[in-house]
Amino acid sequence: MESICIFCGSSTGNRSIYQEAAQAMGEAIARRGLSLIYGGGNVGLMGMVADAALAAGGEAIGVIPKFLVDKEIAHNGLTQLHVVDSMHDRKALMTELADAFIALPGGYGTLEEFCEILTWAQLGLHQKPQGLLNVEGYYDPLLQLFDRAVTEDFLRSELRSLVLESSSSEDLLDLLANYQPITVEKWLRQDTEI
């Protein structure tokens, strides 16, 4: 594992614990000699995780669509900044550059990015690990929803194990580093004959 993609809020949230978690994650990524791949912004938790990685001597690589550069939220102090045409191109390039994925607290965009990369793993499009930094139980409702999807037979239990989770940056990075991909022969099953 050489690079970690971070999905997180373009807002800092309303509690200092989220900001502290973003800074701790950026520092932990740099300490381990990993490259940070992220959305390229200088605002919110995104900007904080990048600034923390850079301040700790690490590498921060941003991927940002042109329309966000034009709104002047691109981070100008990054190791590298890729400007792409669309949000879709952004996710595709971040996925290509990263060896693993972590979602810090965030809103719709963070959830969408994490769930899409999770879906790609379910479909066998990649075997990279993905995890949630569950700061102060922020992701407990989402994890409960995933568990309910298993209970209600919308998600196979072995696929539920694709989501790694910890409240600690260091522990989550360890989980990602030690991840063993699962092999799912057939992720869809047909219960009845047609």
Side-chain angles (χ1 to χ4, degrees), residues 53-172:
L54 291 166
E59 183 174 76
I61 300 168
V63 182
I64 191 167
K66 186 175 183 337
F67 80 91
L68 290 178
V69 172
D70 294 342
K71 294 180 187 274
E72 299 182 340
I73 66 164
H75 195 305
N76 294 320
L78 300 176
T79 309
Q80 226 175 4
L81 181 65
H82 298 274
V83 179
V84 296
D85 290 331
S86 68
M87 295 293 281
H88 177 75
D89 292 338
R90 175 197 234 177
K91 284 184 289 190
L93 184 54
M94 289 194 308
T95 302
E96 180 183 324
L97 295 173
D99 296 324
F101 306 89
I102 293 175
L104 275 61
Y108 287 148
T110 302
L111 295 171
E112 183 270 333
E113 289 168 330
F114 183 77
C115 286
E116 183 164 2
I117 202 67
L118 188 56
T119 301
W120 292 358
Q122 174 182 309
L123 295 171
L125 298 176
H126 73 81
Q127 292 190 320
K128 301 173 182 180
Q130 51 267 312
L132 296 170
L133 186 64
N134 196 14
V135 180
E136 294 282 308
Y138 183 83
Y139 281 117
D140 285 353
L142 182 61
L143 293 164
Q144 290 167 2
L145 179 61
F146 293 159
D147 292 338
R148 173 115 190 238
V150 172
T151 301
E152 300 292 339
D153 209 22
F154 286 106
L155 181 65
R156 289 174 52 186
S157 59
E158 61 268 33
L159 293 173
R160 170 61 179 85
S161 70
L162 290 171
V163 181
L164 305 173
E165 175 262 333
S166 179
S167 60
S168 158
S169 296
E170 294 290 351
D171 290 347
L172 186 54

Side-chain angles (χ1 to χ4, degrees), residues 14-66:
N14 61 8
R15 297 173 60 204
S16 62
I17 191 73
Y18 301 130
Q19 298 156 35
E20 293 163 12
Q23 291 168 337
M25 180 58 76
E27 291 166 1
I29 288 170
R31 266 195 313 275
R32 290 177 183 230
L34 302 169
S35 296
L36 166 67
I37 312 296
Y38 86 113
N42 65 2
V43 294
L45 296 184
M46 286 181 17
M48 296 184 92
V49 74
D51 288 341
L54 291 166
E59 183 174 76
I61 300 168
V63 182
I64 191 167
K66 186 175 183 337

